[in-house]
Amino acid sequence: MLQHIFSHTPLYVWAILGFLVYRGVLASRAREVTLRKLCIIPLVMLVLSLSGVHGSFGFDGMAPFAWATGALAGAALAWSLTDARKLTACPERGSVQLPGSWLPLILMMSIFCMKYAVAVTLAVAPATAHAPGFIVPVCLAYGCFSGLFLGGLLRTMAVYRQAHMTSGPQGAAV
């Protein structure tokens, strides 16, 4: 059965997996990231998450509300857990120094695996697409994963903005 599942997985899914692993490994090392590049993974995760909700359950009914609830909770959690002291804003270069962490890879693999498992579940048992006991936790989890990425991004952007406003063009360690 696993061979059947993997053989019917479109090639672009494996390309997305490769991209996410690559970006996750990069995130494991301390690095300087431009603001534009900082937005890539949260936006990719947002698209994957929302496409998972829309493709599996649509945007009507309880699915979008469960997703939004999870996203708000995840964003609030990431905002509160992101240690601003470990971030260094470099406004003169339009970038931020980030500490290395394996957490982004773990989160990316979690949302990827969850999206894959949901797709397989719905292919094997299509009736689960209408079961509230399946829809709500899946959409909450999709939202929470997206919220974690977005909350971390927003917190980092707030640190950058604070440094930019406080020190002007010279930059500052925050």
Side-chain angles (χ1 to χ4, degrees):
M1 180 160 177
L2 283 176
Q3 181 182 4
H4 181 72
I5 290 170
F6 290 139
S7 68
H8 284 82
T9 300
L11 287 178
Y12 73 87
V13 172
W14 304 118
I16 291 171
L17 176 61
F19 171 75
L20 294 176
V21 168
Y22 169 75
R23 294 297 297 201
V25 170
L26 284 180
S28 72
R29 298 179 189 108
R31 70 229 180 268
E32 185 172 335
V33 182
T34 64
L35 297 181
R36 179 172 282 173
K37 285 186 179 180
L38 191 64
C39 296
I40 292 172
I41 289 300
L43 292 177
V44 167
M45 293 295 99
L46 178 67
V47 168
L48 283 176
S49 175
L50 288 174
S51 72
V53 172
H54 182 261
S56 300
F57 314 112
F59 284 142
D60 53 335
M62 66 187 89
F65 296 108
W67 183 90
T69 301
L72 288 172
L77 180 64
W79 180 278
S80 66
L81 293 179
T82 300
D83 188 355
R85 296 170 297 175
K86 293 184 177 180
L87 305 173
T88 304
C90 306
E92 70 280 359
R93 293 191 300 271
S95 63
V96 179
Q97 288 278 344
L98 300 175
S101 173
W102 289 102
L103 185 59
L105 178 63
I106 293 166
L107 291 173
M108 288 186 280
M109 292 303 95
S110 297
I111 196 169
F112 180 88
C113 291
M114 183 179 157
K115 187 168 171 24
Y116 193 86
V118 168
V120 170
T121 300
L122 293 175
V124 173
T128 55
H130 306 291
F134 184 74
I135 296 170
V136 171
V138 166
C139 292
L140 277 169
Y142 277 152
C144 187
F145 285 132
S146 291
L148 289 168
F149 280 103
L150 292 172
L153 172 65
L154 292 174
R155 180 69 160 153
T156 304
M157 295 298 285
V159 167
Y160 177 86
R161 182 181 165 130
Q162 177 74 21
H164 185 68
M165 293 174 68
T166 308
S167 51
Q170 284 78 33
V174 179

